[in-house]
Amino acid sequence: MRVNFTVNGRPQQADDVWEGESLLYVLRERMGLPGSKNACEQGECGSCTVRLDNVPVCACLVAAGQAEGRDVVTVEGLAEFAERRDATAPGGPEQGSGTGLDEARRWQPGPGGSTPLAPVQQAFIDAGAVQCGFCTPGLLVAADELLERNPEPSDADIREALSGNLCRCTGYEKILDAVRLAAARTGEEG
Amino acid sequence: MGAGPTPGKITQTSTATRGAIGESTLRPDGTLKVTGEFAYSSDLWHEDMLWGFTLRSPHAHAEIRSVDTAEALAVPGVHAVMTHDDLPAATHYGLEIKDQPVLAKDRVRYHGEAVAIVAADHPETARRAAAKIKVEYAELPPVVDEATATAADAPVLHPGRADHHAGHVPHPNIVHRQPVRRGDVIAARTRADVVVRRDYEVGMQDQAFLGPESGLAVPAEDGGVDLYIATQWLHVDRDQLAPVLGLPADKVRLTLSGVGGAFGAREDLSMQAHACLLALRTGRPVKIVYNRYESFFGHVHRHPAKLTYEHGATRDGQLLYVQCRIVLDGGAYASSSPAVVGNAASLAIGPYVVDHVDVEAIALYSNNPPCGAMRGFGAVQACFAYEAQMDAVAAELGMDPVEFRQRNAMSQGAVMPTGQLVDSPAPVAELLRRVKALPMPPERQWLTADDSTDVRALPGGLSNTTHGEGVVRGVGYAVGIKNVGFSEGFDDYSTARIRLEVINGEPVALVHTAMAEVGQGGVTVHAQIARTELGVSQVTILPADTQVGSAGSTSASRQTYMTGGAVRHTCQAVREEVLRRGRERSGSYHPAWATAELLLEGGKVVTDGGEVIGDLAEIVGEEPIELELEFRHRPTEPFDLETGQGFGHVQYSFCAHRAVVEVDTELGLVKVIELAAAQDVGKALNPLSVVGQIQGGSTQGLGLAVMEEIVVSDGARVRNPSFTDYLIPTILDTPTIPVDVLELADDHAPYGLRGVGEAPTLSSTPAVVAAVRAATGLPLKRVPIRPEHLTGT
């Protein structure tokens, strides 16, 4: 089947999608957006958290067909999404499938993308909230959504909002630090 | 096509005063990891790529009568189906004992053992084709514990053993046995005023890393294979793969891809051989990614253990003797069981001075899931038991449990039960003092400012099971001892290749090692060391691969010591070459060139007085300096097979915990309110990462205490292979973890550092359980604690 949907602000079309494929599979294997992670594929770990029409969901539990006509934001689009939170964002990811080895080999570190990191992304780096990083994309999408609706969350609020995202490396302390830091920095700017 | 960053170089530029050792330095891969660009092994993609899938045994112990692959091969989109009969060369592999079949031949020995593999053009096609493979099994009675393993009529699981432990074990279903004997326990027992003898049990814990086993094998034009893989030790993967593929080692090239955590579970091969075999068979790149269900069958777990401990002490609180027996269940294949036995035996009594010791540790072969490395490696199981014993003896004596521990705590100069002198700081009593001195979290912390109840702070949490009725608080303490590095005479080394060159007028250090970055932050530390030793601001970390010498394993808390040590050692040799060139060219211009104490700082050669006498970029010029050197820690020796005596360990590390818990005694629910840790790290090269390691390790110990267990029952079958049924701590289960870091240098180690990663995983579990005991008064001799253990229902 064919699925038409918007990913990180750009209309996308996925062809030859098997009906059993999840949104996660289509993003990772057909859209070239492997940032959403495949840690459990049963909705327990939150590593594949994306925004679907603004609502954080586990992409592994969304059938690809359910995304038809809807708007998806992944970690790859998070910085831009945060920057233009209330605007319609043009532009988007390149088309493709996963990480091409040849391209990976040619990859060179650059000065960074044109879009600065979202506050929550920078805070995760600065607070030491990233170790192996496999849980990070889902946590970032969830934490960004928390800060969007609650700019000054209490620790209990943070724990509740992130309780669907498993991390095995950090013991969560530095993830709490990161969310507090992002909230504080955003508050200062505001 | 999507673009991706790894395998690729990571460059981090830092000003000369930032990013040296001792400073909290940010990860060079941090930006890639927060933007979703970091390419983990499961993210890789290749044109014409096929997907591999593994058919696994539904039985724990069975004879394979026949395998029919015809129907699977006929499925459109299927490119290959392979069984044991299709293997081109060696049919078994293993870390130490090569007893693990690549694909089962005529017998399966555990639930989930690999029987056949399929390559197809879509993962679902591969899965469906695998389901069409017809395997005829005849079930055999499973060996599930020590009694069934050593019974007179027990089936021998590995007949004809020829490994080097086979000669000294009392039964062929025992992988390895290690006694440790010192002093005279029988005589000491007669002098004891208090004797406590108890049985303990530790359930099977899973590493539960989040990034599933995965990799991409690409057949090469030279007949070899390139494997992009998440592992802990590239070279040992290669050395196990080459014989299985029938290829020379230089035609099996491994490159590390992004690794989503490890914790020991990536020490053994999982899908590596299968992906390479399918790639070589089909001539197409093959990717295998386990899902979470398969991951539970795809790697070894922490050994479950049954432990019997007897402690004797005098009335005034001196430990006289410890006698114990530790039975570890190694499951179907050896994996690292022998080394786990060595650790459990040599660290069996904990960080205490005891003159009379009688320890026996064994690991079984059984039909349970294979067990091997997990963070803490044999020391976790022992620590749960000996710390429970310390509390029990203290209670018998009427002593404060911390005071009793401090009374018997080892310190530098103590002698281990193995006879090994502890020749660097061992601040056991001080670590306990520090966690005990911390202020207590407030009582009834679930009450909000307006005196209502925040259920999120209560046992049961958002399930809203209590508003504080029946909730009692308890406090518990524990301390542990872990070895650092590979022990028992293993030739443990690491390698670093350092290139110092001038790019755009700036001196740049390129660091190339085979160290597996699994999340711990080794890449950050390598860059810090290169900056510190070479005085450059720009360091490029090259991808880890087998094109450089072995780094050894990212395990045993060893990589900062070992590969950090190798980077430092090689940088120092590069620095010597810089100074040699400088002296040769400029020695006559400045007398300071003749003095020994010259440093590289901020891109300059400076004297220890701070005077600049040379420019690094000028000295290196057009001739880059490149060296590849090995680094070894001091040698160790095997433990004597009868007495356990020997200089077996490189270094010890110590961590203490205080746990504060609240227990809903009516529903049997536990909430850990705070888990404070104090650890001696020798030297914190990256304080931010050190604290992260201690908090992460503490949380895994908390998981073992109150929730994590692979349940194996009904014929040795795994009952809960999912994150729905195997629970790991969420952010709601995990408390505040204050960390107090001591830095008492170990003069034997680079920068005085002490391996950090594992020690916090040891004492966390017994501290939490001690707190639950204190809250409930229950004996609690098994982990994980389940609600029924607390309610008696």
Side-chain angles (χ1 to χ4, degrees):
Chain A
M1 66 178 182
R2 170 176 290 180
V3 182
N4 288 288
F5 58 147
T6 303
V7 183
N8 297 330
R10 169 175 281 189
Q12 294 283 3
Q13 177 178 307
D15 287 321
D16 302 325
V17 175
W18 172 62
E19 286 77 0
E21 285 177 15
S22 65
L23 172 60
L24 178 64
Y25 184 91
V26 170
L27 289 170
R28 289 176 53 80
E29 307 297 341
R30 298 190 183 277
M31 298 283 107
L33 294 170
S36 306
K37 288 291 169 269
N38 54 331
C40 81
E41 295 172 271
Q42 55 188 178
E44 295 289 351
C45 75
S47 302
C48 63
T49 303
V50 300
R51 303 280 291 269
L52 181 65
D53 286 349
N54 271 339
V55 178
V57 296
C58 288
C60 71
L61 294 185
V62 177
Q66 287 178 283
E68 176 68 32
R70 299 173 78 178
D71 188 43
V72 176
V73 177
T74 72
V75 70
E76 288 95 338
L78 189 62
E80 199 174 351
F81 178 77
E83 194 178 56
R84 308 180 186 186
R85 200 170 288 278
D86 300 317
T88 307
E94 297 167 46
Q95 285 236 338
S97 291
T99 299
L101 263 183
D102 288 338
E103 289 194 35
R105 287 200 191 91
R106 288 197 299 271
W107 181 85
Q108 293 288 326
S114 53
T115 307
L117 298 177
V120 73
Q121 288 173 312
Q122 189 62 50
F124 264 61
I125 297 174
D126 295 345
V130 179
Q131 287 189 29
C132 92
F134 211 78
C135 68
T136 305
L139 273 161
L140 288 168
V141 173
D144 181 71
E145 192 271 343
L146 165 68
L147 294 172
E148 180 181 292
R149 63 183 157 80
N150 181 358
E152 295 176 35
S154 68
D155 283 2
D157 294 338
I158 299 171
R159 288 184 190 277
E160 182 173 348
L162 302 184
S163 61
N165 293 79
L166 296 175
C167 169
R168 191 57 159 168
C169 295
T170 64
Y172 302 103
E173 281 282 78
K174 299 201 177 297
I175 291 170
L176 280 158
D177 288 346
V179 179
R180 293 183 197 117
L181 180 62
R185 284 177 177 167
T186 307
E188 281 168 17
E189 283 169 17
Chain B
M1 180 174 300
T6 54
K9 295 185 279 189
I10 299 176
T11 303
Q12 195 180 39
T13 305
S14 143
T15 63
T17 53
R18 285 202 54 216
I21 64 158
E23 300 170 22
S24 285
T25 305
L26 302 182
R27 303 184 64 95
D29 53 11
T31 301
L32 298 173
K33 285 182 172 178
V34 300
T35 54
E37 292 174 78
F38 189 79
Y40 295 87
S41 53
S42 54
D43 300 338
L44 299 176
W45 178 89
H46 199 291
E47 209 173 337
D48 289 337
M49 174 179 96
L50 300 174
W51 292 79
F53 188 82
T54 316
L55 178 71
R56 295 177 180 277
S57 167
H59 306 297
H61 197 197
E63 187 186 321
I64 297 178
R65 292 274 172 79
S66 66
V67 182
D68 180 357
T69 61
E71 208 178 317
L73 268 167
V75 173
V78 168
H79 290 253
V81 179
M82 296 178 77
T83 69
H84 184 91
D85 293 337
D86 302 307
L87 298 177
T91 57
H92 291 69
Y93 63 83
L95 284 171
E96 180 188 332
I97 301 171
K98 299 198 183 319
D99 62 358
Q100 169 82 50
V102 177
L103 292 167
K105 187 184 179 190
D106 46 14
R107 188 179 185 184
V108 288
R109 293 180 180 82
Y110 72 96
H111 177 206
E113 181 160 353
V115 176
I117 46 178
V118 179
D121 55 12
H122 189 287
E124 185 59 19
T125 306
R127 192 187 68 77
R128 291 181 175 196
K132 291 182 186 297
I133 298 171
K134 293 194 179 69
V135 185
E136 191 188 347
Y137 296 99
E139 276 196 79
L140 299 166
V143 169
V144 297
D145 54 19
E146 186 179 15
T148 51
T150 58
D153 60 347
V156 174
L157 293 178
H158 295 273
R161 278 177 64 184
D163 61 84
H164 66 281
H165 304 290
H168 70 256
V169 290
H171 189 285
N173 283 342
I174 294 176
V175 185
H176 176 45
R177 171 180 177 270
Q178 180 65 64
V180 177
R181 296 204 184 94
R182 190 165 184 83
D184 185 346
V185 163
I186 293 166
R189 186 180 277 130
T190 64
R191 299 198 301 275
D193 299 313
V194 167
V195 172
V196 174
R197 184 180 180 87
R198 289 187 183 174
D199 298 323
Y200 298 92
E201 191 174 347
V202 177
M204 185 185 293
Q205 189 180 18
D206 189 68
Q207 299 85 350
F209 51 54
L210 286 195
E213 291 88 343
S214 46
L216 174 65
V218 185
E221 283 179 6
D222 67 353
V225 64
D226 291 286
L227 178 64
Y228 300 85
I229 187 69
T231 182
Q232 292 179 237
W233 189 354
L234 290 165
H235 286 74
V236 150
D237 278 13
R238 180 197 67 185
D239 294 346
Q240 291 177 89
L241 287 170
V244 168
L245 304 175
L247 291 171
D250 63 358
K251 287 198 172 178
V252 183
R253 294 167 292 261
L254 276 69
T255 302
L256 191 74
S257 2
V259 184
F263 317 117
R266 297 187 210 270
E267 282 194 22
D268 296 76
L269 296 183
S270 58
M271 44 56 65
Q272 286 93 326
H274 299 158
C276 291
L277 286 164
L278 289 169
L280 292 169
R281 166 63 76 97
T282 60
R284 300 262 294 263
V286 173
K287 172 169 164 173
I288 295 182
V289 181
Y290 290 175
N291 62 16
R292 182 55 50 182
Y293 176 89
E294 187 169 16
S295 178
F296 275 97
F297 297 99
H299 60 253
V300 301
H301 315 289
R302 187 191 300 293
H303 289 71
K306 290 183 175 165
L307 314 94
T308 301
Y309 270 74
E310 182 179 314
H311 280 57
T314 61
R315 193 162 289 115
D316 65 350
Q318 188 195 348
L319 270 180
L320 284 178
Y321 74 93
V322 177
Q323 182 183 47
C324 70
R325 185 160 187 276
I326 301 171
V327 180
L328 302 152
D329 188 342
Y333 298 104
S335 181
S336 47
S337 278
V340 172
V341 167
N343 266 17
S346 59
L347 305 171
I349 68 159
Y352 303 108
V353 177
V354 185
D355 291 336
H356 308 284
V357 174
D358 182 1
V359 174
E360 181 190 29
I362 63 170
L364 305 171
Y365 273 127
S366 73
N367 294 115
N368 289 321
C371 289
M374 183 177 171
R375 195 176 197 169
F377 203 84
V380 161
Q381 295 91 332
C383 187
F384 168 63
Y386 64 67
E387 286 299 87
Q389 284 287 101
M390 293 302 283
D391 284 337
V393 176
E396 286 285 318
L397 291 166
M399 279 183 80
D400 175 86
V402 171
E403 252 174 62
F404 175 60
R405 284 176 172 84
Q406 289 172 321
R407 166 96 165 75
N408 294 282
M410 67 162 57
S411 53
Q412 184 166 359
V415 175
M416 295 290 289
T418 57
Q420 183 168 3
L421 179 74
V422 178
D423 58 4
S424 69
V428 177
E430 172 64 11
L431 293 171
L432 286 162
R433 188 192 67 74
R434 287 182 177 231
V435 288
K436 192 178 180 185
L438 289 171
M440 279 290 171
E443 296 280 342
R444 300 176 69 79
Q445 40 76 35
W446 59 83
L447 291 179
T448 59
D450 59 358
D451 223 30
S452 63
T453 300
D454 187 341
V455 294
R456 296 174 296 191
L458 280 159
L462 292 165
S463 303
N464 195 17
T465 54
T466 175
H467 284 209
E469 314 86 352
V471 172
V472 290
R473 176 173 280 199
V475 180
Y477 295 88
V479 61
I481 176 170
K482 178 67 186 56
N483 59 320
V484 173
F486 279 25
S487 301
E488 298 187 60
F490 189 87
D491 180 23
D492 194 9
Y493 71 96
S494 183
T495 315
R497 187 187 298 162
I498 306 292
R499 181 181 171 90
L500 182 61
E501 63 182 344
V502 178
I503 299 175
N504 299 329
E506 287 294 318
V508 179
L510 286 88
V511 178
H512 190 185
T513 77
M515 179 208 63
E517 167 62 50
V518 302
Q520 83 278 20
V523 289
T524 322
V525 163
H526 292 178
Q528 291 176 268
I529 292 172
R531 283 188 205 106
T532 302
E533 299 297 336
L534 296 174
V536 297
S537 57
Q538 192 170 323
V539 178
T540 296
I541 304 291
L542 297 172
D545 57 31
T546 49
Q547 308 303 307
V548 63
S550 173
S553 184
T554 300
S555 49
S557 308
R558 67 180 282 289
Q559 280 296 20
T560 303
Y561 191 130
M562 295 305 298
T563 303
V567 170
R568 178 195 193 215
H569 177 60
T570 310
C571 283
Q572 288 175 341
V574 167
R575 183 175 67 200
E576 287 312 306
E577 173 60 15
V578 168
L579 297 179
R580 190 195 63 76
R581 285 189 193 178
R583 282 190 198 100
E584 196 175 276
R585 293 175 200 170
S586 322
S588 56
Y589 297 109
H590 196 297
W593 279 107
T595 67
E597 292 302 313
L598 293 177
L599 307 168
L600 302 184
E601 279 180 10
K604 309 289 181 192
V605 180
V606 298
T607 68
D608 52 1
E611 188 186 354
V612 174
I613 63 168
D615 181 83
L616 193 51
E618 241 177 69
I619 293 169
V620 174
E622 298 295 306
E623 295 171 66
I625 300 169
E626 182 169 310
L627 289 173
E628 178 176 328
L629 296 175
E630 289 177 357
F631 171 78
R632 280 174 167 74
H633 59 64
R634 54 181 170 164
T636 59
E637 59 188 29
F639 297 123
D640 182 272
L641 285 174
E642 283 309 311
T643 66
Q645 299 300 294
F647 190 94
H649 295 310
V650 184
Q651 186 186 56
Y652 296 103
S653 72
F654 307 91
C655 182
H657 279 94
R658 182 188 74 187
V660 181
V661 306
E662 278 163 1
V663 182
D664 180 341
T665 52
E666 291 163 358
L667 290 174
L669 302 173
V670 176
K671 183 168 182 68
V672 183
I673 300 301
E674 187 199 78
L675 186 56
Q679 183 168 341
D680 173 27
V681 305
K683 166 77 180 173
L685 265 58
N686 186 340
L688 186 70
S689 298
V690 162
V691 171
Q693 282 292 309
I694 295 170
Q695 290 169 335
S698 301
T699 304
Q700 290 183 1
L702 183 161
L704 177 59
V706 295
M707 59 181 76
E708 295 186 33
E709 182 175 11
I710 295 180
V711 178
V712 182
S713 65
D714 297 343
R717 286 183 177 83
V718 175
R719 313 309 302 189
N720 57 339
S722 74
F723 278 167
T724 308
D725 298 312
Y726 183 92
L727 302 181
I728 64 173
T730 70
I731 196 168
L732 282 168
D733 302 312
T734 307
T736 303
I737 308 174
V739 174
D740 191 354
V741 173
L742 271 74
E743 297 183 85
L744 306 180
D746 176 356
D747 293 337
H748 306 281
Y751 305 114
L753 72 85
R754 201 175 284 283
V756 172
E758 291 174 287
T761 312
L762 272 58
S763 44
S764 164
T765 307
V768 169
V769 177
V772 179
R773 281 192 204 101
T776 62
L778 295 166
L780 302 176
K781 298 177 190 174
R782 187 187 195 285
V783 282
I785 300 169
R786 297 178 186 156
E788 59 266 33
H789 299 154
L790 300 176
T791 58
T793 50

